[in-house]
Amino acid sequence: MKTIYLGLSGDIIHPGIINIIKEASKHGEVLVGLLTDSAIASHKRLPYLNWQQRLEVVENLKGVSKVVPQEEWSYIPNLKKYKPDAIIHGDDWNTGPLKKEREEVIALMNETGGKVIEIPYTKGVNSSALNEAIRSLGTTPDIRLKTLRRLIEFKKPVRIMEAHSGVSALIVENLEIEKDDGLHSYDGIWSSSLTDSTSKGKPDIEAVDLTTRLQDLTNILECTTKPIIFDGDTGGKPEHFVFTVRTLERNGISAVIIEDKIGLKKNSLFGTDVLQELASIPEFCEKLSVGKRAQITKDFMIIARLESLIAGKPVSDALERARAYVSAGADGVMIHSKEKSGDDIKEFCQEFRAEFNEIPIILVPTTYNQFTEKELVGWGATIIIYANHMLRASYPAMMNVAKLILENERSLEADKLCMPISQILELIPGGK
């Protein structure tokens, strides 16, 4: 029999999927190219089910003869490898982001003597709407907790944006833009101690207990589904850090990042005259080890933030600390610097990556923001955090509106800077 190739993600099985399998089986044996997690994550949201789970589902669908992995978003590599007699696809790829993919497939099949079968896209079925409906149901702490490790495995970079309130978190949760290489969105949320305290009008000092931080974090947890990385400052005393780890893990937070400084917290963005003292390597290693022993699941991550470069130490000091922290159980390292050139960060990343191929490197390119995500990944970056931009954007916007109203003694002139309240309500689930 002839072989008919069908590419599927298989994350949501709806009538349209059943229909196209039926149509494909009329022409021959159905060979399903099941997109891997990395292939999907490179162009859209990470699938809800992992590849093995989706494989089990698709293998048992009536009409499917064989399932093979499709490692790339493009059909071309698998079409060259398996040389099917035909490929089948819905006619929805005649327009939109898949149009270029369609042209490449047609050219290849013409070259090899194969056939392209197009069928009408099943009416009344919208995969994006189904995804949105599932997302609106929310998530569980267990599912949210596991997502960050899945993203790290299948996507580079993992793109994280700061949120300090429910509304800012909803923007991070829902914002998507279509680009030539697929759908771009934020993969998770950074819960920053700086933006959390500043949004309350308080200084960024490590005097707020975890309970207070969690009260605000709960607002974010209740209206989002994406993984959250928690800024744990220094982590406090080791015996306190144990409870921090267990509390965060229980609430479904994916990771905590703690920095190797001691004493009363002073923000790293200020000058060297207010720098904190670095913790000794054995002291910080013990804190990491205590935290790792305290966690219940293997999915929770404890990441070590290196302050060597902030403290004026050389890259060699940061690398020495990084090696020790990884040996102590750190699940990743964040390297921080105030240098605008980014040279010290690049040097660290390249040398660390030469020794540790799989350990995640987390970068916060606030000062060296001239580099693109692609360039930072080229250095070895795994996660990129935009650590305070939502808060920094909100202050001048509010200041400008308040100033316009004062100047004009009415709000008409401020309307152009304000989002209609109806649109804000649409952003909030159940707000309309």
Side-chain angles (χ1 to χ4, degrees):
M1 291 183 67
K2 292 183 176 181
T3 301
I4 313 301
Y5 189 87
L6 171 62
L8 289 178
S9 65
D11 198 31
I12 300 175
I13 303 301
H14 52 74
I17 300 297
I18 303 302
N19 181 51
I20 199 169
I21 292 173
K22 285 182 179 178
E23 290 297 319
S25 62
K26 293 177 182 178
H27 298 274
E29 292 186 338
V30 181
L31 173 64
V32 171
L34 188 63
L35 274 74
T36 61
D37 287 4
S38 58
I40 296 172
S42 66
H43 277 69
K44 54 172 65 176
R45 188 183 178 104
L46 188 71
Y48 297 100
L49 304 178
N50 63 40
W51 194 84
Q52 287 295 333
Q53 292 170 324
R54 292 183 285 119
L55 173 65
E56 185 173 351
V57 171
V58 174
E59 278 184 330
N60 286 282
L61 293 177
K62 184 178 180 181
V64 174
S65 300
K66 185 179 180 181
V67 181
V68 296
Q70 182 170 313
E71 302 282 355
E72 298 184 29
W73 182 256
S74 171
Y75 295 99
I76 301 300
N78 267 15
L79 293 179
K80 289 181 176 179
K81 180 177 181 179
Y82 296 104
K83 300 178 175 59
D85 298 285
I87 179 174
I88 189 169
H89 200 286
D91 62 5
D92 57 310
W93 70 343
N94 288 311
T95 59
L98 289 177
K99 184 177 180 180
K100 183 180 178 182
E101 182 71 28
R102 175 181 181 269
E103 293 170 354
E104 293 176 352
V105 167
I106 290 175
L108 177 63
M109 297 305 281
N110 286 338
E111 181 183 324
T112 60
K115 183 179 179 182
V116 177
I117 303 170
E118 294 181 333
I119 66 170
Y121 191 77
T122 304
K123 294 181 179 180
V125 174
N126 186 313
S127 295
S128 297
L130 290 171
N131 267 295
E132 186 59 37
I134 290 176
R135 187 163 57 180
S136 69
L137 295 175
T139 187
T140 66
D142 182 60
I143 292 174
R144 191 198 296 261
L145 172 64
K146 295 177 179 178
T147 304
L148 182 61
R149 282 198 184 269
R150 289 186 64 205
L151 283 164
I152 289 171
E153 182 177 0
F154 299 115
K155 189 175 186 295
K156 283 186 175 54
V158 177
R159 187 184 296 115
I160 305 294
M161 172 59 85
E162 168 263 323
H164 54 276
S165 64
V167 171
S168 61
L170 281 171
I171 295 173
V172 180
E173 174 82 6
N174 296 310
L175 184 63
E176 297 176 343
I177 64 168
E178 190 70 51
K179 300 184 72 173
D180 290 340
D181 59 349
L183 199 65
H184 283 232
S185 61
Y186 294 104
D187 301 302
I189 297 168
W190 169 240
S191 174
S192 161
S193 65
L194 167 64
T195 60
D196 178 77
S197 59
T198 305
S199 67
K200 297 184 180 77
K202 298 179 179 179
D204 181 28
I205 56 175
E206 199 169 4
V208 178
D209 63 19
L210 181 61
T211 302
T212 303
R213 283 281 305 275
L214 281 175
Q215 288 173 354
D216 295 299
L217 189 56
T218 298
N219 296 328
I220 295 175
L221 288 166
E222 289 178 345
C223 64
T224 63
T225 63
K226 293 184 176 181
I228 296 174
I229 301 177
F230 187 85
D231 179 5
D233 293 322
T234 66
K237 295 181 179 179
E239 54 267 33
H240 296 160
F241 187 49
V242 167
F243 292 100
T244 298
V245 167
R246 290 176 179 170
T247 300
L248 295 175
E249 186 180 25
R250 184 171 62 249
N251 280 275
I253 307 304
S254 295
V256 61
I257 296 180
I258 57 171
E259 57 197 40
D260 55 354
K261 296 189 295 191
I262 57 176
L264 181 64
K265 178 179 178 180
K266 300 179 182 68
N267 193 280
S268 298
L269 299 176
F270 292 108
T272 56
D273 58 322
V274 295
L275 286 175
Q276 286 176 252
E277 180 183 349
L278 293 178
S280 70
I281 292 177
E283 179 183 12
F284 194 70
C285 284
E286 175 60 19
K287 187 180 294 184
L288 291 170
S289 298
V290 166
K292 291 304 294 180
R293 291 195 297 269
Q295 70 183 70
I296 304 300
T297 72
K298 64 179 181 180
D299 301 297
F300 186 76
M301 300 179 69
I302 298 177
I303 297 167
R305 171 173 157 177
L306 306 161
E307 292 290 289
S308 296
L309 303 181
I310 294 289
K313 302 289 186 180
V315 171
S316 58
D317 183 82
L319 287 167
E320 179 186 1
R321 288 173 173 273
R323 295 185 193 102
Y325 299 163
V326 170
S327 296
D331 298 295
V333 295
M334 175 197 279
I335 182 67
H336 215 34
S337 173
K338 293 187 296 182
E339 292 296 325
K340 294 184 178 180
S341 70
D343 292 341
D344 51 355
I345 295 290
K346 183 177 182 179
E347 180 184 348
F348 172 88
C349 288
Q350 292 178 335
E351 293 196 33
F352 180 85
R353 188 55 76 216
E355 294 184 50
F356 302 96
N357 188 46
E358 300 297 330
I359 300 296
I361 298 175
I362 296 86
L363 298 184
V364 185
T366 305
T367 53
Y368 51 98
N369 58 7
Q370 68 271 33
F371 299 102
T372 65
E373 293 171 353
K374 185 176 181 180
E375 289 174 300
L376 298 178
V377 168
W379 298 357
T382 311
I383 298 174
I384 296 173
I385 297 178
Y386 299 96
N388 49 39
H389 294 77
M390 298 292 272
L391 179 72
R392 286 164 56 198
S394 66
Y395 183 86
M398 291 187 292
M399 177 66 79
N400 287 337
V401 167
K403 185 178 179 181
L404 279 172
I405 293 174
L406 274 180
E407 289 175 344
N408 296 282
E409 300 183 20
R410 65 180 186 181
S411 64
L412 176 65
E413 288 75 13
D415 279 353
K416 61 185 178 183
L417 300 179
C418 295
M419 184 179 185
I421 193 65
S422 59
Q423 291 183 21
I424 295 178
L425 294 178
E426 288 175 0
L427 176 67
I428 300 170
K432 293 172 62 176

